[in-house]
């Protein structure tokens, strides 16, 4: 008799800056990967999605801006810096994707987010950009 093996699958999605509707979504077999970073890069490569980054994080995907082009100056005292963030099962971890084990993960959600700088301090990070729909990204 052949033993019955359950292969866990997980959902992977990428949310852009202008809508909560995924730019891309797929299901992957968790057993194929050792960490979130490896799963992310292999998924983007498999589906031939243009990106810049590594297993440690994404700099750009789906044509998203980087560097100065990903900054929004609101005033002399406030700005937002945009980039890719991720959640694992609904929580934003305080570590890099290549240090998060894929074991028991049900959903990885990458989203284009921002960090807010106000009066000399960074006051937030990984806020979803689609909640603001910044004009310079969503024109």
């Amino acid at each position: 008799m052949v033993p019955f093996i359950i292969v866990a699958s997980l959902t992977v999605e990428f949310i852009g800056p202008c809508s909560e509707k995924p730019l891309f979504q797929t299901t992957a077999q968790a057993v194929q990967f050792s960490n979130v970073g490896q799963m992310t890069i292999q998924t983007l490569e498999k589906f031939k999605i243009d990106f810049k980054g590594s297993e440690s994080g994404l700099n750009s995907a789906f044509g998203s801006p980087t560097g100065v082009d990903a900054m929004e100056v609101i005033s002399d005292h406030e700005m937002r810096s945009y980039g890719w963030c991720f959640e694992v099962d609904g929580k934003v971890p305080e570590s890099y994707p290549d240090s998060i084990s894929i074991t028991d993960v049900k959903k990885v959600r990458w989203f284009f987010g921002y960090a807010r700088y106000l009066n000399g301090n960074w006051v937030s990070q990984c806020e979803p950009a689609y909640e603001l729909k910044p004009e310079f990204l969503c024109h």
Side-chain angles (χ1 to χ4, degrees):
M1 177 183 248
V2 177
F4 182 69
I5 299 172
I6 297 174
V7 177
S9 64
L10 64 99
T11 301
V12 183
E13 64 182 25
F14 294 85
I15 310 294
C18 305
S19 171
E20 193 171 2
K21 181 181 176 191
L23 297 170
F24 177 78
Q25 182 174 353
T26 190
T27 301
Q29 300 303 316
V31 73
Q32 298 173 316
F33 311 106
S34 61
N35 62 63
V36 170
Q38 180 189 47
M39 180 274 308
T40 298
I41 298 306
Q42 288 185 17
T43 298
L44 291 168
E45 288 174 344
K46 176 181 178 181
F47 290 97
K48 299 182 183 354
I49 296 169
D50 186 41
F51 74 95
K52 292 177 183 158
S54 69
E55 290 184 12
S56 297
L58 289 179
N59 296 334
S60 177
F62 303 91
S64 63
T66 59
V68 177
D69 293 334
M71 295 183 142
E72 178 183 28
V73 176
I74 312 292
S75 70
D76 288 345
H77 305 283
E78 182 179 10
M79 74 169 197
R80 295 184 192 112
S81 179
Y82 291 85
W84 287 95
C85 298
F86 71 102
E87 295 175 344
V88 175
D89 293 333
K91 296 180 182 167
V92 177
E94 292 290 330
S95 19
Y96 292 107
D98 60 350
S99 66
I100 307 285
S101 172
I102 211 79
T103 308
D104 298 324
V105 171
K106 303 286 185 250
K107 184 175 185 179
V108 174
R109 180 178 183 252
W110 284 89
F111 62 95
F112 203 67
Y114 67 92
R116 183 174 175 227
Y117 184 81
L118 181 65
N119 297 321
N121 296 301
W122 291 101
V123 296
S124 71
Q125 66 179 11
C126 285
E127 301 290 331
Y130 62 79
E131 292 177 352
L132 294 177
K133 296 178 180 58
E135 189 175 323
F136 82 103
L137 295 169
C138 303
H139 48 283

